[in-house]
Amino acid sequence: MTGLLRMVGSGALSVLRKMGHMLIFLVQSLSYAFIPPFKFRILLREIQFIGTKSMTVIVLMGSFTGMVLALQGFHLLRKVGSEALLGPAVALPLIRELGPVLSALTITGRAGSALTAEIGIMRISEQIDALTAMALNPMRYLIVPKMFAAIIAFPLLTAIYDVVGIYGGYFVGVKLLGLSSGTYFSQMEHFLEMEDIRIGIYKSLTFGILVLWVCCYKGFYTGYGAEGVSKATTEAVVMSSVLILIADYFLGTLFI
Amino acid sequence: MINIVGLQKSFGEQKVLSGVSLSISDKELIAIIGESGGGKSVLLRHLIGLLKPDRGKIVVEGEDITKMSGRELDGIRQKFGVVFQGGALFDSLTIYENVAFPLKEKMKLSRREINERVEDALEDVGLRGMEDKYPAEISGGMKKRVALARALITEPKIVLFDEPTTGLDPILLHAIHKLITDTHKKYGFTGVMISHDIPEIFHVVDRIAFLYKGTIEVVGTPKEIRASSDPVVRQFIKGSLRGPIEIS
């Protein structure tokens, strides 16, 4: 019994220690964000990496999400004679839930994993030590620009995801299933409120910070060798994805 | 210049340094030799504050760096240049950008001045014309030379070399050693070098310190080390399988 208690206790302490370490990492990186010199060129490069390079996959995912929503929604709504509500049936879940969550999961897979691997390789090849040895703060050079790039890129990519999704739904609902274009958009306008869009933005901002926090942390404190980097990358993607869904639920209860 | 006093460091149960004491004079070039995995790199990382010791102190120009952190430590680091084992060049930057990096970030110099200094540094290490290449496009020997150019570009007072010749062929090994002695003469820095190159290292440095079982077993000029009667030193220099050093 004492052995079991000791095991549970030490496990809990280890989790708490890790959480504290992660929290210090986040606070440190955010605090460096407000101390000059600011690295605008690196920030632009990171926005390009996280944002621009994720566009193709975001457009693809967004359009098919909207198409699936329209296809399923149309048949369901027809059963209750409410096909006219297809516009809001596509737009509302997309803007409030699916857009922020699925785009965050997509960016985690595409950019988050790459960032963990990049920072991890910099760690094991002593590039981070080289920065420290040059009296240059690696947090400022590596982490802060990535965090800010995520804060800028995540909401923008989510907005693109939403818009493309709505047009994907339009294509299926209007062009393939014969709903009128006016009905699709006018009903959407009627049901959709600014609050819904705001919720989507808040969520994507939260997910952006969460994903970059986890991915940068895992890369920064990666284990030894190729195996360490591979493990850190896997952990970063899994942990980010789980945290996105947990945060989505709690944000959902907050905004419902 | 650098005074290491009773330095101790353990990683978990494993004691790596168990009381290293060593004095390094101004403008001296000293090599630290010893078994693989014997703590030489750990010792070097302490000198620049990348690791904190469990006990002991490191005094650099009168200041104990083991008590420092943050900006204070960064101030001391301005005096150092480090050549890491694998070069530690930034993958995303070209050779030119790698060498120019410390100048751009740490010194307020005009573009022309940076250009001139980078060209001079690359000339010193025989890499003019390679400016636009990326680290992935050059050989291991070239990487070491770029790392040396980057370490020297700010004209530091102290340069640390972590196995600068590992993995190089004998000709390149001599070329790098010559480069280190030439730049040492030109810039007059204090150099601490981790090395496995025996007997080549005897012709390069002023003194040699032999790290064994976490302490400095013996320190002296290359001549003194060669003439040492210490059985551990003798076995290590000869590379003999028989003797007090056990192969793990």
Side-chain angles (χ1 to χ4, degrees):
Chain A
M1 188 66 187
T2 355
L4 183 72
L5 272 175
R6 194 178 292 132
M7 212 169 73
V8 172
S10 81
L13 274 176
S14 155
V15 170
L16 270 176
R17 202 176 297 123
K18 269 187 191 157
M19 281 168 69
H21 198 230
M22 278 188 80
L23 199 66
I24 291 168
F25 179 83
L26 178 69
V27 172
Q28 269 183 343
S29 49
L30 289 179
S31 64
Y32 283 120
F34 301 102
I35 306 167
F38 304 110
K39 302 289 166 197
F40 288 113
R41 279 187 67 183
I42 305 178
L43 174 67
L44 287 176
R45 202 180 63 204
E46 295 301 343
I47 292 175
Q48 196 235 2
F49 180 73
I50 298 171
T52 321
K53 287 189 173 175
S54 301
M55 287 278 282
T56 317
V57 68
I58 285 290
V59 167
L60 254 170
M61 295 275 293
S63 56
F64 277 97
T65 308
M67 284 161 77
V68 169
L69 275 176
L71 195 66
Q72 297 296 330
F74 186 84
H75 290 294
L76 186 70
L77 289 168
R78 195 163 60 178
K79 283 181 186 166
V80 289
S82 306
E83 304 98 294
L85 293 177
L86 185 67
V90 169
L92 270 173
L94 204 58
I95 289 171
R96 288 180 66 111
E97 286 293 335
L98 294 176
V101 171
L102 292 181
S103 58
L105 290 174
T106 308
I107 306 166
T108 304
R110 201 212 67 80
S113 56
L115 289 177
T116 307
E118 183 195 333
I119 299 171
I121 288 167
M122 287 188 79
R123 168 65 76 195
I124 63 168
S125 61
E126 297 182 308
Q127 292 176 52
I128 293 179
D129 288 337
L131 276 173
T132 312
M134 285 178 205
L136 300 169
N137 192 312
M139 285 264 187
R140 196 194 298 280
Y141 280 84
L142 293 178
I143 312 300
V144 173
K146 289 182 192 347
M147 284 271 188
F148 266 74
I151 288 171
I152 295 166
F154 267 68
L156 288 175
L157 286 172
T158 304
I160 292 167
Y161 194 100
D162 294 345
V163 171
V164 171
I166 288 167
Y167 276 97
Y170 172 86
F171 175 74
V172 170
V174 177
K175 299 289 176 191
L176 299 183
L177 300 171
L179 192 75
S180 102
S181 168
T183 312
Y184 184 80
F185 282 113
S186 67
Q187 289 297 323
M188 196 186 294
E189 207 179 314
H190 182 71
F191 278 91
L192 204 67
E193 287 169 17
M194 197 56 209
E195 182 65 11
D196 300 315
I197 295 167
R198 217 174 286 139
I199 288 169
I201 293 171
Y202 291 152
K203 281 187 175 179
S204 60
L205 270 174
T206 313
F207 299 157
I209 295 171
L210 270 178
V211 169
L212 263 288
W213 174 27
V214 172
C215 291
C216 290
Y217 176 84
K218 288 286 175 187
F220 204 77
Y221 294 106
T222 192
Y224 297 105
E227 198 189 339
V229 176
S230 136
K231 198 174 158 220
T233 310
T234 311
E235 280 176 4
V237 173
V238 172
M239 197 172 172
S240 301
S241 307
V242 171
L243 281 178
I244 287 168
L245 295 174
I246 293 173
D248 184 51
Y249 173 77
F250 284 107
L251 288 171
T253 55
L254 207 70
F255 292 125
I256 207 112
Chain B
M1 186 77 181
I2 304 174
N3 238 329
I4 305 165
V5 187
L7 205 69
Q8 293 185 24
K9 181 73 182 177
S10 298
F11 295 101
E13 296 291 301
Q14 194 191 357
K15 196 158 200 170
V16 180
L17 303 177
S18 47
V20 171
S21 293
L22 180 68
S23 279
I24 300 163
S25 316
D26 196 18
K27 296 187 180 174
E28 172 182 38
L29 192 55
I30 186 167
I32 298 168
I33 60 170
E35 293 173 283
S36 296
K40 301 184 296 297
S41 292
V42 170
L43 175 59
L44 202 78
R45 293 170 87 81
H46 276 92
L47 296 184
I48 190 116
L50 289 173
L51 286 174
K52 288 265 177 211
D54 300 331
R55 269 188 197 166
K57 57 182 180 176
I58 298 167
V59 181
V60 178
E61 291 191 325
E63 292 179 279
D64 183 3
I65 65 162
T66 58
K67 302 249 184 315
M68 293 179 180
S69 60
R71 285 192 178 174
E72 229 182 343
L73 197 54
D74 280 346
I76 287 287
R77 282 175 181 149
Q78 308 275 6
K79 297 177 185 185
F80 282 83
V82 186
V83 179
F84 285 92
Q85 212 173 95
L89 301 177
F90 303 121
D91 300 325
S92 56
L93 304 182
T94 62
I95 301 308
Y96 177 92
E97 289 166 335
N98 259 290
V99 179
F101 189 79
L103 291 182
K104 280 186 185 166
E105 299 299 333
K106 286 158 74 177
M107 294 180 169
K108 283 176 183 160
L109 296 175
S110 69
R111 193 173 281 188
R112 220 186 80 192
E113 284 172 300
I114 291 176
N115 217 8
E116 278 172 11
R117 284 178 72 164
V118 173
E119 280 176 9
D120 284 350
L122 287 175
E123 182 81 56
D124 282 345
V125 296
L127 285 176
R128 278 295 295 274
M130 306 294 280
E131 289 88 344
D132 296 330
K133 296 228 181 269
Y134 282 88
E137 298 172 326
I138 61 173
S139 68
M142 285 176 179
K143 278 183 197 164
K144 306 253 182 191
R145 285 190 275 165
V146 178
L148 183 62
R150 187 177 69 180
L152 295 174
I153 193 94
T154 53
E155 297 181 9
K157 283 185 171 178
I158 306 158
V159 183
L160 310 179
F161 302 88
D162 191 0
E163 299 189 27
T165 52
T166 303
L168 300 182
D169 64 58
I171 297 168
L172 263 178
L173 183 143
H174 279 115
I176 296 285
H177 279 163
K178 187 176 180 313
L179 206 57
I180 290 170
T181 46
D182 288 350
T183 47
H184 179 243
K185 270 180 206 151
K186 185 176 172 183
Y187 296 100
F189 53 77
T190 303
V192 184
M193 195 193 312
I194 304 289
S195 182
H196 283 296
D197 306 322
I198 292 167
E200 292 85 354
I201 199 70
F202 291 122
H203 308 290
V204 180
V205 295
D206 303 316
R207 278 198 310 155
I208 292 171
F210 181 65
L211 185 70
Y212 181 64
K213 288 193 172 169
T215 57
I216 299 292
E217 174 85 4
V218 63
V219 60
T221 62
K223 204 177 162 187
E224 286 165 350
I225 296 291
R226 269 182 169 152
S228 171
S229 57
D230 187 322
V232 175
V233 179
R234 294 205 65 76
Q235 184 193 353
F236 191 78
I237 292 171
K238 281 185 183 167
S240 168
L241 292 174
R242 279 191 215 147
I245 303 174
E246 288 165 20
I247 300 158
S248 51

